[in-house]
């Protein structure tokens, strides 16, 4: 079993420090590469699917979360409010003693991005011709998790969430939710992940749910339709819904058999009403949009934790911190290795030179066992501008022209393929 907490530290991907605090991991250089590459993949996929990216602040007034319903249904998982306001000067202090009051306000570290996106939507007037309006953000949010449940990257207090909200008409909801499921499927294929199961998460007894039975029924019926149309097998589970509505959860399992949610699709009739969202219909009247919440990989932290455990640190080539390790057999080939590293960089490939000062060729090959491509340069390769490529899975290729080898590696990386070579090898 690969434990991402142990392996992630051994591979130099992330770490923690009690001085920073529990549930607040920091990313080391190689981990930052994995995270950045994953985020760019998501952003590109979203742009191609017609999403518009925004940024929103990590703080919000308490009133914002009272309107959204988080304060009444979710405050136990939120950090305490912070009081803002200036200390009174001498004259203001005398006014307060005479019955005046210095205005102060409370702000909260956000536990979710959806209230901010609802406010961004309502900041402009929208026509039905603009819908569906797809808004996405890789944003920070914060959960006041108990110290006993924190662990590595899977349960943290500062979360970097791949989040999106689609504002659409009722007639567009099923198609938009179905398209979100398809984005999730493609992402899992590129990441080399297999869902354990799809779950239709419903309310259960005793939970803090919005009291709107008709809206719950409509949302549940729509999500059931989406799952039935997709042909995906799924199970209904009581007590797993969000406080404002049901959701589709994509479940994964780690090496120890623990199940967790990685991706979600939700239909929300509640918050558009709370924030008085509307669009102008073809009839010139105001209509209420539906809000689809969608996350392809959920939190970046949990996604990377699962990738570490699923692949044992041997990430798909496009995601690997180092994609090509260049191995000059002797010091005489070092200039060629440096030149090849430069060619890799110009092609957008992340390359590292492991020279003879780091041990024998065999030792260096073993040290680089998690790197997808090992490019060996001996005297013959150096003279003829060739490279002898070894694949991470142990296969060896006949020497190839360096430009040809880099072109084929680059094509596989650009296509987000999980296989290491595009044809059978001997």
């Amino acid at each position: 079993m690969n434990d991402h907490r142990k392996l992630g530290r051994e591979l130099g991907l992330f770490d923690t420090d009690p001085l920073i605090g529990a549930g607040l991991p920091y990313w080391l250089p190689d981990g930052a590469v994995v995270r950045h590459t994953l985020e760019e993949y998501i952003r590109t996929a979203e742009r191609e699917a017609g999403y518009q990216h925004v940024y929103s602040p990590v703080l919000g007034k308490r009133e914002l979360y009272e309107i959204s319903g988080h304060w009444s249904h979710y405050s136990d998982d939120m950090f305490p409010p912070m009081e803002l306001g200036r200390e009174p000067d001498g004259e203001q202090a005398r006014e307060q003693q005479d019955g005046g009051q210095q205005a102060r306000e409370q702000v909260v570290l956000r536990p979710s991005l959806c209230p901010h996106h609802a406010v961004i939507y309502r900041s402009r007037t929208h026509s039905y011709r603009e819908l569906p309006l797809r808004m996405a953000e890789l944003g920070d949010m914060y959960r006041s998790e108990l110290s006993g449940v924190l662990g590595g990257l899977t349960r943290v207090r500062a979360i970097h969430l791949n989040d999106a909200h689609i504002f659409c008409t009722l007639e567009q909801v099923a198609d938009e939710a179905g398209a979100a499921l398809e984005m999730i499927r493609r992402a899992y294929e590129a990441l080399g992940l297999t869902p354990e199961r799809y779950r239709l998460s419903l309310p259960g007894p005793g939970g803090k749910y919005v009291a709107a039975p008709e809206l719950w029924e409509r949302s549940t019926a729509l999500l059931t339709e989406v799952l039935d149309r997709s042909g995906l097998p799924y199970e209904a589970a009581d007590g797993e819904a969000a406080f404002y509505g049901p959701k589709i959860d994509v479940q994964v399992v780690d090496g120890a058999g623990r199940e967790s949610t990685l991706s979600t699709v939700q239909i929300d009739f509640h918050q558009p009403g709370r924030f008085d969202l509307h669009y102008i219909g073809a009839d010139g009247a105001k209509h209420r949009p539906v809000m689809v919440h969608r996350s392809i990989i959920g939190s970046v932290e949990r996604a990377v934790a699962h990738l570490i455990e699923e692949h044992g640190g041997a990430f798909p080539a496009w995601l690997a911190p180092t994609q090509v390790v260049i191995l000059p057999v002797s010091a005489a080939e070092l200039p060629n290795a440096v030149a090849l590293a430069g060619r890799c960089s110009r092609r957008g490939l992340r390359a590292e030179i492991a020279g003879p000062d780091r041990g024998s060729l065999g030792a260096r090959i073993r040290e680089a066992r998690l790197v997808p491509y090992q490019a060996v340069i001996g005297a013959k390769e150096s003279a003829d501008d060739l490279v002898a490529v070894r694949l991470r899975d142990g296969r060896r290729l006949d020497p190839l022209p360096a430009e040809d080898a880099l072109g084929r590696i680059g094509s596989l990386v650009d296509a987000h393929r999980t296989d290491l070579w595009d044809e059978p090898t001997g």
Side-chain angles (χ1 to χ4, degrees):
M1 184 185 75
N2 296 313
D3 186 331
H4 82 277
R5 294 168 297 183
K6 179 175 184 291
L7 192 54
R9 289 177 170 87
E10 290 175 354
L11 298 177
L13 300 176
F14 72 92
D15 213 329
T16 58
D17 191 291
L19 190 59
I20 294 177
L24 301 170
Y26 57 84
W27 298 81
L28 296 165
D30 278 357
V33 169
V34 173
R35 174 179 161 179
H36 176 79
T37 305
L38 181 58
E39 290 176 349
E40 283 306 301
Y41 167 81
I42 295 298
R43 286 193 182 97
T44 300
E46 288 172 338
R47 283 194 298 269
E48 291 175 351
Y51 286 79
Q52 302 174 59
H53 288 99
V54 298
Y55 286 109
S56 58
V58 299
L59 292 169
K61 290 175 66 173
R62 171 175 165 170
E63 181 185 0
L64 174 69
Y65 305 106
E66 289 174 342
I67 293 172
S68 71
H70 284 84
W71 192 255
S72 58
H73 295 91
Y74 204 75
S75 58
D76 290 346
D77 295 299
M78 297 170 63
F79 283 98
M82 293 173 275
E83 294 279 351
L84 297 183
R86 294 179 301 173
E87 290 297 326
D89 58 23
E91 183 177 347
Q92 290 170 327
R94 285 191 295 273
E95 289 176 356
Q96 287 185 21
Q97 289 176 359
D98 295 334
Q101 187 174 4
Q102 174 70 17
R104 299 178 69 86
E105 62 184 15
Q106 290 185 328
V107 295
V108 184
L109 283 168
R110 67 179 175 194
S112 174
L113 278 68
C114 43
H116 289 75
H117 288 188
V119 171
I120 291 173
Y121 175 88
R122 78 174 190 184
S123 68
R124 302 287 187 274
T125 299
H126 299 283
S127 163
Y128 71 96
R129 294 185 180 90
E130 298 174 62
L131 306 186
L133 191 155
R134 307 179 185 101
M135 187 185 301
E137 181 176 3
L138 273 158
D140 297 349
M141 65 182 198
Y142 300 86
R143 302 278 173 86
S144 182
E145 300 279 11
L146 298 174
S147 58
V149 302
L150 299 172
L153 296 177
T154 55
R155 202 75 176 262
V156 295
R157 288 173 170 156
I159 303 165
H160 302 87
L161 186 69
N162 155 232
D163 205 9
H165 298 94
I166 305 163
F167 302 88
C168 60
T169 68
L170 183 61
E171 294 75 23
Q172 294 168 334
V173 169
D175 287 342
E176 289 300 311
L181 272 181
E182 175 58 19
M183 288 184 73
I184 292 169
R185 186 199 64 78
R186 289 198 300 269
Y188 279 45
E189 182 179 1
L191 293 166
L193 301 180
T194 302
E196 177 68 17
R197 65 187 179 110
Y198 292 84
R199 186 178 73 192
L200 177 59
S201 296
L202 303 172
K208 291 185 177 182
Y209 302 109
V210 170
E214 180 185 347
L215 300 184
W216 282 92
E217 290 174 9
R218 293 172 72 188
S219 300
T220 301
L222 281 166
L223 287 179
T224 302
E225 177 189 345
V226 169
L227 284 165
D228 289 341
R229 281 169 48 176
S230 73
L232 295 168
Y234 66 93
E235 302 171 11
D238 293 336
E240 300 293 344
F243 73 84
Y244 50 79
K247 56 195 174 96
I248 297 171
D249 288 327
V250 184
Q251 302 297 103
V252 295
V253 172
D254 66 15
R258 295 173 298 225
E259 185 177 296
S260 60
T261 301
L262 204 57
S263 311
T264 61
V265 179
Q266 307 169 34
I267 293 175
D268 182 5
F269 291 98
H270 171 70
Q271 291 192 67
R274 297 281 292 184
F275 285 98
D276 192 24
L277 305 185
H278 62 266
Y279 64 92
I280 306 301
D283 57 0
K286 290 183 178 181
H287 298 268
R288 186 81 70 209
V290 183
M291 196 171 173
V292 178
H293 304 240
R294 182 246 66 195
S295 184
I296 298 175
I297 58 165
S299 79
V300 174
E301 288 79 11
R302 180 171 289 181
V304 173
H306 190 68
L307 285 164
I308 293 170
E309 296 188 355
E310 180 73 17
H311 298 296
F315 299 107
W318 65 272
L319 196 58
T322 301
Q323 295 165 321
V324 181
V325 63
I326 302 168
L327 303 162
V329 173
S330 69
E333 290 82 44
L334 271 173
N336 298 79
V338 171
L340 184 62
R343 290 156 79 174
C344 286
S345 181
R346 288 189 290 276
R347 284 187 168 273
L349 295 171
R350 298 184 288 273
E352 175 189 334
I353 299 171
D357 59 314
R358 289 166 59 171
S360 67
L361 180 61
R364 286 179 279 152
I365 288 172
R366 289 190 295 274
E367 184 183 15
R369 67 191 181 282
L370 297 179
V371 178
Y373 303 100
Q374 302 172 353
V376 179
I377 303 177
K380 175 175 173 52
E381 288 80 16
S382 182
D384 298 333
D385 192 28
L386 302 173
V387 291
V389 177
R390 291 170 172 255
L391 305 181
R392 180 173 56 198
D393 58 16
R395 288 178 290 169
R396 302 184 189 184
L397 309 181
D398 293 332
L400 292 166
E403 202 62 24
D404 184 22
L406 295 186
R408 293 170 76 171
I409 292 171
S411 295
L412 289 163
V413 167
D414 291 344
H416 302 102
R417 295 264 294 270
T418 55
D419 48 338
L420 294 175
W421 206 244
D422 56 2
E423 65 182 36
T425 59

